[in-house]
Amino acid sequence: MKKKKTSRMIAVCMAAVLLIGSVGCSSAEEGARASVPGGSEQASSLSTDGAQNEKPADQNDQIVIAGYRDPGRGTKDPYYTNVNLYVWEPLIGETDQGEPEPRLATSWDRNEDATVWTFHLREGVQFSDGVPFNADAVLKNFERYRNMGVVSSTFFAFDVDAVYPGLQSVEKEDDYTVRLTFENPIPTLPYTMINFGCGMFSPECYDPQTGEFKEYCVGTGPFVISEHVPDEYITLERNEKYYGDPAKAASIKIRIIPDHETRIAALRSGEIMGVYDNNAILPQSAKELGEAGGFVVSSALSANIQYLNVNNQNFPFNDVRMRRAMSMIIDRDTLLNDIYCGYGKTTVNVLSPMSVFYQDIQPEYNPEAAKALAAEVLQGQTPTVRLLTASTYKTDAELISYWLGELGLNVQIQVLDSAAVSAALKERDFDLSMGFKGMNNAEPETMLRGFLHTDGFMNNGFAMSGYHNEEVDALLDQLKDTYDEEERAALFNQLQKIGAEELPVIPLIAVTTLVVHSDQVTGYDAKFTGITLPEVAWVS
């Protein structure tokens, strides 16, 4: 990365101050940062001394927290809740390092060519409604998968053919052993199954034909849903039938408070004990609360990346030189430190650093080269372009528009609600937009295909538009018939390199899960997704 000149940094910082006011991430004392140096995957936390509020006397008192969106999406959603509510469990979970780990399947093995996979199930488990978890329940869940086919979700859409391509049969070997047979080798099956690809639900809680839930989802996790008022709150109760260590809290209520300032006010007043979910708190607010005392900040690298989405069909973004110029003019270090308070990791790779196949390709910062490239493309023109953003990313957008202005672009920022931004993307009615995307699963092909293939879902109205590269399409199509793990990894590396060079979408920051909670509760640690909810409890 090219060394920045002091004068340049002063100019940028002055512009940032004018644009974003007193954000105040950078200070002489950064005690409340709780950053993740170099993108460390280990959660970090910090508490500051402050006045202690009176502690509740009854450990069974309900703990109330809040997020900006409803974590329970209703009966038509294939999962009903996000996995990080710990109501349902998958056959295969995910470690904090992005590796598959046993959950309801204690182990698995495959034949030599990876066409037959055998899963050994956890014994002594029952769903919270008392139905036994065993091979029969797994078979019924796979029947549900097939009946559902493709179902949209606010979490991750479910597509049985994408998770289990060429699945020929699901058979019971014994009460705790299930065998899956495929038409072609599937060497990375556990990576596609992780979490949302293999959620297990009581066969009594859904319609066997449609897969829709009759009321709430019923799983094997440490919590059960006791009440849900959509877009207001969802109440979780301890699952007394849970096979593992019981949840520490008897009851947790998650309120939905869409407005950021209202959430922070509720946290300050003690109306809620913590904020929950991605984007639940802005970094500068987390820093302020950490410094105020009485609160704890916790963060962990997530699977989410913030992108600058690009309409590759529109001038001047249909020229790769302009996209490279944009990437080189954006000072990601300043963005990370001044907007994100150091929480996260700069990146130029479309693939999340949470993937075990991630290549750490360093972003290049070179304003002089960027201006030269842009001049070649613009030829003296000063095109007006629209940058769409939800209010969450308004500050980011202002800083980025300043940098893009140095290339000769007249950037007009339009702040819309999230639904309006999504609608504009689907209609391809945009030039640029601020975006945020996580990994559907741990299989890199899903994200690489989505962003880079001509027919990829992110390339057709979800993030960007119009990117086409025949070499990339051929490499992605080659993955369908590449079954050797080392050969697949080599293809993943090629695709990541091309993505970083061609930049059909411009990755900016691999962000963290960032949460803040009152020091009246404990066990409230950030994970790569959600928090350690079963460990949350009142301080004794």
Side-chain angles (χ1 to χ4, degrees):
M1 183 179 294
K2 188 170 182 177
K3 184 178 180 180
K4 305 177 183 66
K5 296 181 180 179
T6 303
S7 59
R8 161 68 180 166
M9 286 304 301
I10 292 173
V12 169
C13 290
M14 288 299 294
V17 169
L18 292 172
L19 287 169
I20 66 180
S22 56
V23 170
C25 280
S26 299
S27 63
E29 293 184 82
E30 299 185 48
R33 180 168 290 184
S35 61
V36 187
S40 168
E41 292 148 350
Q42 299 298 317
S44 57
S45 63
L46 122 113
S47 180
T48 56
D49 294 331
Q52 298 286 326
N53 294 322
E54 184 180 351
K55 303 295 190 298
D58 188 351
Q59 287 294 313
N60 289 320
D61 281 354
Q62 186 178 71
I63 296 174
V64 182
I65 62 178
Y68 75 96
R69 60 178 179 175
D70 195 337
R73 299 309 300 167
T75 58
K76 295 183 183 298
D77 190 279
Y79 321 103
Y80 196 99
T81 73
N82 202 320
V83 68
N84 57 31
L85 258 61
Y86 295 86
V87 171
W88 58 268
E89 296 177 303
L91 292 174
I92 300 176
E94 185 175 11
T95 70
D96 289 342
Q97 289 73 43
E99 292 276 11
E101 72 172 356
R103 292 292 172 81
L104 289 175
T106 57
S107 63
W108 48 89
D109 49 72
R110 42 168 267 195
N111 65 351
E112 187 174 351
D113 68 357
T115 56
V116 179
W117 285 83
T118 303
F119 295 87
H120 307 280
L121 307 179
R122 189 178 298 277
E123 300 184 27
V125 176
Q126 58 181 323
F127 294 97
S128 60
D129 60 2
V131 173
F133 170 75
N134 52 29
D136 292 326
V138 172
L139 264 59
K140 289 180 180 178
N141 272 271
F142 270 87
E143 288 176 9
R144 176 177 182 260
Y145 296 163
R146 284 171 157 165
N147 290 338
M148 288 193 306
V150 181
V151 186
S152 62
S153 171
T154 54
F155 307 119
F156 296 107
F158 182 84
D159 182 348
V160 64
D161 292 328
V163 181
Y164 303 99
L167 178 62
Q168 293 183 320
S169 65
V170 182
E171 299 169 284
K172 169 184 173 180
E173 290 190 0
D174 59 43
D175 285 345
Y176 294 100
T177 310
V178 173
R179 182 175 65 249
L180 275 59
T181 303
F182 295 87
E183 180 180 357
N184 295 307
I186 311 291
T188 54
L189 179 64
Y191 288 92
T192 63
M193 288 178 62
I194 277 176
N195 288 335
F196 291 95
C198 58
M200 292 286 114
F201 303 94
S202 169
E204 299 298 321
C205 77
Y206 57 80
D207 184 307
Q209 298 304 315
T210 65
E212 293 182 9
F213 296 106
K214 297 174 183 177
E215 186 180 16
Y216 304 140
C217 68
V218 177
T220 60
F223 287 107
V224 300
I225 302 171
S226 62
E227 188 178 13
H228 180 210
V229 178
D231 297 320
E232 291 189 26
Y233 64 85
I234 188 167
T235 302
L236 306 177
E237 304 287 347
R238 183 190 294 131
N239 178 10
E240 303 297 345
K241 296 184 175 68
Y242 187 57
Y243 59 90
D245 294 333
K248 300 287 180 63
S251 177
I252 293 179
K253 183 176 185 177
I254 302 175
R255 291 180 51 196
I256 294 86
I257 306 178
D259 181 69
H260 178 265
E261 294 305 318
T262 305
R263 282 196 304 278
I264 302 310
L267 186 58
R268 288 183 182 276
S269 68
E271 187 179 339
I272 61 174
M273 290 294 104
V275 294
Y276 162 91
D277 203 3
N278 294 320
N279 292 330
I281 188 167
L282 295 175
Q284 52 266 37
S285 297
K287 179 178 183 294
E288 290 167 4
L289 286 169
E291 291 177 337
F295 298 98
V296 180
V297 182
S298 180
S299 68
L301 188 66
S302 75
N304 298 300
I305 293 180
Q306 185 206 37
Y307 302 90
L308 177 63
N309 299 325
V310 181
N311 190 331
N312 287 244
Q313 294 177 316
N314 291 358
F315 178 82
F317 313 118
N318 55 356
D319 192 316
V320 67
R321 292 174 296 174
M322 177 54 72
R323 301 195 300 271
R324 287 172 180 162
M326 292 161 61
S327 182
M328 287 193 291
I329 199 74
I330 294 173
D331 186 350
R332 289 172 175 81
D333 287 339
T334 293
L335 190 65
L336 175 64
N337 294 318
D338 288 3
I339 305 298
Y340 287 86
C341 299
Y343 294 107
K345 172 183 173 67
T346 61
T347 186
V348 73
N349 192 337
V350 297
L351 190 63
S352 168
M354 280 296 295
S355 172
V356 296
F357 297 94
Y358 173 78
Q359 294 295 305
D360 192 8
I361 306 170
Q362 290 297 311
E364 181 182 1
Y365 174 71
N366 192 329
E368 291 77 14
K371 291 174 185 178
L373 276 178
E376 292 176 11
V377 177
L378 296 178
Q379 296 291 307
Q381 300 178 70
T382 307
T384 297
V385 298
R386 293 185 307 140
L387 171 55
L388 308 184
T389 182
S391 59
T392 306
Y393 300 116
K394 182 174 182 292
T395 304
D396 311 52
E398 288 173 335
L399 193 52
I400 287 171
S401 70
Y402 165 77
W403 286 317
L404 298 186
E406 292 191 319
L407 297 179
L409 298 177
N410 178 24
V411 181
Q412 294 184 348
I413 298 173
Q414 290 186 305
V415 181
L416 307 171
D417 62 41
S418 297
V421 173
S422 297
L425 291 174
K426 289 180 181 178
E427 295 296 324
R428 304 187 179 190
D429 182 22
F430 74 103
D431 294 307
L432 304 168
S433 77
M434 302 302 300
F436 183 84
K437 182 72 176 70
M439 293 183 68
N440 296 42
N441 52 51
E443 166 56 65
E445 182 181 355
T446 305
M447 181 168 274
L448 293 172
R449 180 174 293 275
F451 274 114
L452 303 180
H453 197 280
T454 300
D455 298 327
F457 66 95
M458 299 302 291
N459 194 18
N460 286 275
F462 285 92
M464 7 83 78
S465 177
Y467 175 69
H468 173 70
N469 182 314
E470 292 185 2
E471 178 189 2
V472 169
D473 285 356
L475 289 171
L476 285 162
D477 292 340
Q478 187 179 338
L479 277 169
K480 294 180 180 179
D481 301 314
T482 301
Y483 308 121
D484 180 82
E485 293 183 51
E486 290 186 2
E487 291 178 6
R488 288 179 67 83
L491 290 172
F492 294 151
N493 291 346
Q494 282 183 262
L495 289 163
Q496 291 175 72
K497 182 179 179 182
I498 294 173
E501 292 173 348
E502 299 239 322
L503 295 162
V505 61
I506 301 175
L508 301 171
I509 305 292
V511 300
T512 62
T513 299
L514 178 63
V515 295
V516 175
H517 65 90
S518 166
D519 62 6
Q520 295 185 47
V521 294
T522 185
Y524 202 112
D525 296 321
K527 290 177 61 65
F528 70 95
T529 176
I531 61 172
T532 51
L533 203 62
E535 300 300 316
V536 174
W538 293 110
V539 171
S540 299

